[in-house]
Amino acid sequence: MQQPQAIIFDLDGVLTDTSEYHYRAWKHLADDEKIPFTREENDAHLRDVGRRESLEYLIRDRQYSEQQMQEMMGRKNRYYQQCIRSMTSADVAPGGRDLLQEIRQRGIKTAIASSSKNSLTVLEHLGLIPLFDGIADGWCVVNGKPAPDIFVYAAGMVGVHTPDCLGIEDAAAGVEAIKAAGMRAIGIGPRERFHGADAVLPELSNLRLAQLLDAR
Ligand code: G6P
Ligand code: MG
């Protein structure tokens, strides 16, 4: 593609493997509540899905009051925060820091578009905050992915029109959000996970900018 003016990254499962920690935290909660929940279900249904929507998926038609749901969301978040507490700069996807530096050296803006309210904490642990021109997280918009809002918000933060942005995602809902925002979308993961992506790459590890721009 023509060189984008901004590259907007999802965080969990793209720049770092926190999607595994989200899974473990939901699994811990599901085990507490004796709700069956598998890794396969997590991959198929919870990747990039917001906290409440994830809980709603997990409990399905079991009856819980709003107060009980709030308590469960809080409990899952505490389990998640225990997982991310020990993260360090070594937890950035291999080559991720070099890729961000290369993008910035080329004069392209970098931004985060993550649904997670824990994004800033994770980025601080990873030492990545100085490498982003804009960080849009779960506190910024009301409608989560697959709505385009978080990507549009991130583009606004860096002052780039959405057609000039490239979005990078590891989840189907995220690719849908990027496309709805009018951006080019790259999916990171198995090809069968993504339908609407413009290009798919198996992983972000050790990628250079040219490979990102030439991806099909
Ligand atoms: C991201 C993750 C999801 C997570 C959501 C909300 O989209 O991929 O797994 O459920 O953020 O995260 P939070 O940290 O706010 O509960
Ligand atoms: Mg993700």
Side-chain angles (χ1 to χ4, degrees), residues 36-47:
F37 178 55
T38 63
R39 186 178 282 279
E40 289 68 33
E41 276 181 284
N42 179 77
D43 275 359
H45 301 285
L46 294 199
R47 244 173 215 278

Side-chain angles (χ1 to χ4, degrees), residues 65-81:
S65 66
E66 175 60 25
Q67 199 184 348
Q68 286 172 314
M69 287 180 66
Q70 290 292 343
E71 185 281 323
M72 286 193 278
M73 287 188 279
R75 195 169 0 136
K76 181 269 174 178
N77 197 44
R78 284 195 302 281
Y79 294 151
Y80 179 69
Q81 287 176 336

